[in-house]
Amino acid sequence: MRLNVEYEFAPKRPTCNTSYVQSVFGIGFEVGRNVIARDLELDFPCKGQPGRPGKIVLFVGPSGSGKSSLLRAAARQVEGLVWLDERATGRAALIDTLGDDVRQAAHLLSLCGLGEAFLMLRSPAELSDGQRYRYAIARCLAGKASAVAADEWCAKLDRVTAKVISRNVRKIADGRSVGFLLATTHEDLLSDLQPDIVVRCRAAGQAEVQTRRPFAARSVFGAACGSPTAPSPTGRTSLGGITAGTASGRCGA
């Protein structure tokens, strides 16, 4: 995948206010082209290429650095990509909204951290912000998306919830070969998200691509974990199997 993102600065008509700013700071209107990236290469399958992505690309940088523009440019090149939308509403129970196969629906909810039986019977409107975010990921998976894109990744969530969701997304990318294109200002999620590619955006065409070595698999609590377990009839499994694993002192018990 190759990214080229730049645009022309629009001509502006001088006003009293703009003249004041220009005189105080000794500057003029920006002219020419604003270059965010030219010929930026990413090892991520795009339209026309066979196979499914299964990688996580994370665009990081401060506000105004161009990460959102690069994210959108990358998303346009991926076939079967779905944008994450956590604004789901409606009164239907979660288990009724992810297809006709109830076992598959339950598995997707568990995989995304909504494995408790009571949560499966709630509607999207009855979920917390973090739970709604997890549900949005489950909806993307139910729609068989080849890749998921999200700007301001987990920005509205508390940091513990953001880390748990990021850890689950790493497992989903590995276990289901689903790609993720994400943008964030929060670098504290790197160790949990474990992105395959990090694009550091510094504006003025200074984007830098870093390929990261695979991390050792471990849960957010520091213990080695396997795949999330299916929900039990009692609804005790939650957070994609994390509760079940930690309750006995080891994962997979």
Side-chain angles (χ1 to χ4, degrees):
M1 176 187 294
R2 177 176 297 177
L3 301 181
N4 287 284
V5 180
E6 56 184 281
Y7 59 87
E8 291 277 356
F9 286 110
K12 300 175 181 65
R13 179 178 299 177
T15 65
C16 292
N17 290 344
T18 60
S19 296
Y20 173 79
V21 173
Q22 290 174 329
S23 64
V24 169
F25 293 96
I27 60 173
F29 288 122
E30 293 175 295
V31 296
R33 301 189 67 80
N34 181 20
V35 178
I36 297 175
R38 280 180 178 164
D39 295 328
L40 189 70
E41 293 283 353
L42 297 182
D43 182 17
F44 195 91
C46 54
K47 293 178 181 178
Q49 294 182 345
R52 296 172 66 87
K55 291 185 177 180
I56 298 177
V57 178
L58 183 66
F59 299 88
V60 298
S63 177
S65 61
K67 61 184 181 298
S68 296
S69 297
L70 286 174
L71 171 64
R72 290 192 295 269
R76 286 193 293 267
Q77 298 187 41
V78 180
E79 190 170 0
L81 177 140
V82 175
W83 282 88
L84 189 73
D85 185 0
E86 72 275 21
R87 299 170 297 176
T89 58
R91 297 184 178 182
L94 302 188
I95 195 67
D96 289 331
T97 63
L98 300 178
D100 297 330
D101 189 330
V102 64
R103 291 182 179 273
Q104 179 65 13
H107 174 70
L108 289 178
L109 289 172
S110 180
L111 186 67
C112 296
L114 296 171
E116 291 190 16
F118 284 113
L119 291 179
M120 294 183 183
L121 300 179
R122 289 182 183 175
S123 69
E126 296 169 331
L127 301 177
S128 67
D129 288 343
Q131 291 166 345
R132 195 173 291 115
Y133 216 90
R134 296 180 176 104
Y135 174 59
I137 298 173
R139 290 176 63 205
C140 292
L141 299 181
K144 302 188 184 303
S146 66
V148 178
D151 200 359
E152 301 297 340
W153 172 250
C154 293
K156 299 177 182 178
L157 307 180
D158 66 85
R159 304 325 296 158
V160 172
T161 301
K163 286 176 175 290
V164 171
I165 292 176
S166 295
R167 178 66 61 172
N168 279 353
V169 161
R170 178 70 265 176
K171 292 180 181 179
I172 292 169
D174 292 338
R176 300 180 68 92
S177 296
V178 176
F180 287 85
L181 297 173
L182 311 173
T184 182
T185 59
H186 298 285
E187 294 200 30
D188 62 324
L189 299 178
L190 282 171
S191 61
D192 298 282
L193 194 59
Q194 302 177 16
D196 300 278
I197 300 171
V198 176
V199 182
R200 296 191 177 277
C201 305
R202 299 185 176 91
Q206 298 299 313
E208 176 187 358
V209 177
Q210 298 176 346
T211 302
R212 300 171 63 85
R213 294 180 179 274
F215 289 74
R218 58 185 180 86
S219 77
V220 292
F221 299 101
C225 270
S227 300
T229 58
S232 69
T234 62
R236 297 299 298 172
T237 300
S238 64
L239 292 178
I242 292 177
T243 298
T246 55
S248 62
R250 60 187 180 89
C251 292

